[in-house]
Amino acid sequence: MKIFIVAALLASIKLTLAGWSNCRCTYGEDCWPTSSEFAQLESQISQPLIYPHPTGAVCYPINDPSGNCSGLDVTSTDGRWRSSQPGTMEAPNWETYMFKNGTISACYANTTLGVPCTQGSVPVIGVDARSPADIQAAVGFAVKHNLRLVVKNTGHDYLGRSTARGAFVVWTHNMKNITYNATFVPQSAPPDETYNALTVTAGVQWYEAYDAIQAQGRMMVGGVSVGGSVGASGGWVLGGGHSALSPTYGLGVDNTVEMNVVLSTGEYLTVNAYQHPDLFWAMRGGGGGTYGILTSVTYRTYPSLPIQAALFIANSTSAPAMQDLFAEILRLHPALSDAGWAGYGGTLNNQLFLVYIKPNGTEAQANQTFSPILSYAQNLSSQGLSTEWYPMSYNSWYSLYTQFFSGNGQVGGNTMLGSRLLERDALENHSKELADILFPGGLTWNFVAGGEVSKIDPDSAGLNPAWRKAILHVTFGISWDFGANAKEIQQQIEILKAEEKALHDLTPQSGAYFNEASLFEENWQYTFFGTHYPKLKAIKDKYDPYRLFVVAEGVGSEEWDGDLNCRK
């Protein structure tokens, strides 16, 4: 009943954008709702309103009466803990705000820095949503008062899309329902179109989804991070959703059967191939926080299979030898892809590691496929290179996942990422140039494309078409100490931008993954969305007439200023 009441309320608001200011209302302005207006909102929702604080606020008695942050050093690096706090982001730099004059508003847990604890970019008030009706009430309130709105699920976001200074937040973390259905039929689909499926609501995280599907003796394509704190029904799938299982089964968007979403008009829609197919198309890869608030996703699942894994580690006292090996591994990646392998790798401090997997693979296949890499590495032993090689067999994806990725994820550092999707030609014919660009700093490569990902029609979803030609997705990043000033941060950003430009110039027709990228890409519309951008923009305009949902470098954000508060 509450859903219909809220929908009726929104219908009565009408489209009054022409009479509004060109700017969103933020905290501290005269337009900000009164306490009685917020109290009226609170009466319409299932939970009390929330008042998010930056992570470090507990260390300051003026912000938290306990003034005790003795345990924060342990919990602040735990991805699951960070995601459970409405004002905490996985990367704390997005909790801060930098003014144009270089002054930084922040709240550092290290009180010895002598910096006052301020709100930074953390929203000041919001709704702890537990149902679509809660979200509808929040959206109606934001539209009525023209508020700057943000949506936060886990805060596992490298572009700062889950937070904004002076904003009103819809926090979906506590929507934790999981439903398994071996004969799921999408709404309006023929009755014989069935899927063995798992439906997860907005707050479910991948470690929870994996536990649930393992209990059914099955597996699914999902996100991989230490601790599994990434949301299973949020930005991960809305941006594309990659996995080590993607080369075998496709990306997250390729395994999405149905979605439920609340629009800025207050409508609560079920979207799939039969209902609102244009919106279903856009939300599968067209970017999170852009079209509405996702409340649930239904994914297809697969029979559990044994997994063959291979762990390769190389150490060297010679950086040139390690870079030489790195270039050769890049060159050989297309052959690994053709042989059905996927996984992850990285370099840091003259160490290189690979963790690769193949469903239904064998140890003999691992030894055969990787023998060129092992032989090449052996030939570099005279230059101070040493290697370790461990083929490993697992009875399921779940058993591998729990060994390598369970536990507490080490997050909580100031981080910005850049990324690039690399195609076969770049790897086979420009591996040395790529190594020259990528190797000097630490990087991660995600062997999550190729295979089945490349066989799917590039126009089947709003996803960046560059994914369908890519084999490898590489990420690289910068970091800085807490308390760093604007000049020090900008110096790091310039390093990131230079690496980004070099990769762009070497692979100008490719792109980057919207969920793991930076805010400094040239022509970001093409880099993140490719030739799909005009269609995505038209769908955005159709389903979000209030232009309520705006995120950094998301579809339609070019119409707004740098803070995404005022229309240009």
Side-chain angles (χ1 to χ4, degrees):
M1 179 65 69
K2 191 175 286 188
I3 290 178
F4 298 108
I5 292 174
V6 175
L9 172 64
L10 285 173
S12 70
I13 294 174
K14 305 295 185 182
L15 289 177
T16 57
L17 289 175
W20 284 357
S21 163
N22 283 331
C23 296
R24 295 293 189 214
C25 182
T26 57
Y27 177 72
E29 297 181 307
D30 291 341
C31 56
W32 190 251
T34 64
S35 57
S36 62
E37 288 170 324
F38 276 116
Q40 183 179 9
L41 169 63
E42 193 167 50
S43 70
Q44 299 170 356
I45 57 180
S46 65
Q47 304 295 314
L49 291 171
I50 54 173
Y51 300 86
H53 292 295
T55 308
V58 67
C59 301
Y60 297 80
I62 193 172
N63 292 285
D64 189 305
S66 69
N68 181 5
C69 60
S70 58
L72 195 58
D73 288 344
V74 176
T75 56
S76 66
T77 60
D78 179 352
R80 295 186 189 180
W81 180 86
R82 295 189 75 88
S83 68
S84 70
Q85 309 301 307
T88 295
M89 310 299 150
E90 295 292 315
N93 44 294
W94 298 115
E95 297 176 29
T96 68
Y97 180 82
M98 185 183 297
F99 295 93
K100 291 181 180 179
N101 65 3
T103 302
I104 297 175
S105 172
C107 185
Y108 301 121
N110 182 358
T111 59
T112 65
L113 293 172
V115 178
C117 176
T118 53
Q119 192 75 5
S121 286
V122 176
V124 296
I125 192 171
V127 169
D128 176 5
R130 305 296 176 99
S131 68
D134 284 345
I135 295 176
Q136 288 177 302
V139 165
F141 188 81
V143 169
K144 180 178 180 180
H145 295 281
N146 194 26
L147 301 181
R148 174 75 165 94
L149 176 77
V150 295
V151 183
K152 181 178 185 288
N153 179 358
T154 66
H156 198 290
D157 183 7
Y158 295 108
L159 289 168
R161 297 169 297 183
S162 302
T163 186
R165 182 172 176 80
F168 173 73
V169 62
V170 177
W171 189 41
T172 63
H173 175 74
N174 289 310
M175 297 177 69
K176 293 284 190 181
N177 293 332
I178 301 176
T179 305
Y180 173 72
N181 187 341
T183 57
F184 179 85
V185 179
Q187 285 191 21
S188 301
D192 60 347
E193 183 179 326
T194 63
Y195 299 87
N196 194 302
L198 192 76
T199 299
V200 292
T201 54
V204 174
Q205 294 165 276
W206 277 115
Y207 76 93
E208 296 165 320
Y210 287 145
D211 287 348
I213 202 60
Q214 171 65 15
Q216 303 296 331
R218 298 182 68 83
M219 65 181 186
M220 63 192 297
V221 174
V224 175
S225 62
V226 178
S229 62
V230 174
S233 183
W236 180 84
V237 66
L238 293 168
H242 67 64
S243 167
L245 294 174
S246 291
T248 303
Y249 299 109
L251 295 163
V253 295
D254 304 320
N255 288 278
T256 300
V257 177
E258 189 167 270
M259 295 173 160
N260 285 289
V261 59
V262 173
L263 304 182
S264 64
T265 59
E267 295 174 272
Y268 178 52
L269 302 182
T270 298
V271 301
N272 54 40
Y274 303 93
Q275 296 183 171
H276 310 287
D278 55 345
L279 182 58
F280 186 56
W281 181 88
M283 292 183 68
R284 288 179 295 131
T290 299
Y291 309 95
I293 299 181
L294 187 64
T295 65
S296 70
V297 180
T298 299
Y299 295 103
R300 70 178 73 202
T301 70
Y302 299 92
S304 184
L305 295 175
I307 303 290
Q308 179 63 43
L311 173 63
F312 175 77
I313 302 173
N315 291 279
S316 180
T317 57
S318 166
M322 187 67 81
Q323 183 168 339
D324 189 359
L325 175 62
F326 174 58
E328 182 64 7
I329 291 173
L330 291 177
R331 190 184 72 81
L332 292 172
H333 255 90
L336 298 179
S337 178
D338 294 341
W341 291 88
Y344 305 96
T347 63
L348 184 65
N349 299 329
N350 280 336
Q351 183 179 74
L352 179 150
F353 66 92
L354 310 173
V355 181
Y356 284 178
I357 73 160
K358 182 177 182 179
N360 262 347
T362 65
E363 183 174 335
Q365 290 173 332
N367 289 328
Q368 179 181 8
T369 304
F370 285 89
S371 61
I373 293 176
L374 301 176
S375 297
Y376 197 90
Q378 182 63 35
N379 291 334
L380 294 172
S381 60
S382 62
Q383 300 181 38
L385 188 76
S386 62
T387 63
E388 300 172 68
W389 168 248
Y390 306 100
M392 297 171 291
S393 299
Y394 295 86
N395 61 13
S396 67
W397 161 255
Y398 185 80
S399 60
L400 180 148
Y401 172 81
T402 53
Q403 176 173 333
F404 280 96
F405 300 104
S406 62
N408 296 334
Q410 294 298 301
V411 296
N414 295 315
T415 304
M416 285 187 182
L417 291 186
S419 73
R420 199 72 183 168
L421 293 165
L422 301 179
E423 302 175 9
R424 181 179 294 266
D425 175 70
L427 294 168
E428 290 183 335
N429 300 314
H430 300 283
S431 62
K432 291 190 180 299
E433 295 100 310
L434 287 171
D436 288 341
I437 297 169
L438 292 168
F439 184 79
L443 76 146
T444 300
W445 63 90
N446 304 282
F447 195 6
V448 293
E452 187 64 22
V453 175
S454 64
K455 297 175 185 177
I456 296 171
D457 180 1
D459 294 326
S460 64
L463 180 77
N464 188 345
W467 269 105
R468 305 306 181 184
K469 296 181 179 180
I471 291 178
L472 199 62
H473 164 235
V474 295
T475 63
F476 44 92
I478 56 173
S479 62
W480 57 91
D481 294 333
F482 292 102
N485 60 40
K487 181 179 179 180
E488 292 167 334
I489 296 172
Q490 189 59 40
Q491 288 173 343
Q492 290 296 310
I493 289 174
E494 293 304 319
I495 294 172
L496 181 68
K497 291 166 69 174
E499 195 165 357
E500 222 163 44
K501 185 178 187 307
L503 282 174
H504 176 274
D505 291 347
L506 186 63
T507 59
Q509 300 305 311
S510 189
Y513 180 36
F514 184 49
N515 283 348
E516 297 172 359
S518 85
L519 298 173
F520 313 110
E521 285 282 0
E522 297 181 16
N523 189 12
W524 58 263
Q525 290 94 333
Y526 180 83
T527 297
F528 294 147
F529 305 105
T531 54
H532 288 163
Y533 191 83
K535 182 177 178 180
L536 291 168
K537 180 62 167 60
I539 295 170
K540 158 73 171 175
D541 292 345
K542 173 183 176 181
Y543 285 96
D544 183 18
Y546 291 97
R547 307 299 194 272
L548 183 65
F549 303 110
V550 186
V551 297
E553 300 195 350
V555 173
S557 64
E558 68 274 16
E559 298 175 351
W560 298 78
D561 65 9
D563 282 334
L564 305 179
N565 285 337
C566 296
R567 295 289 291 271
K568 293 180 179 178

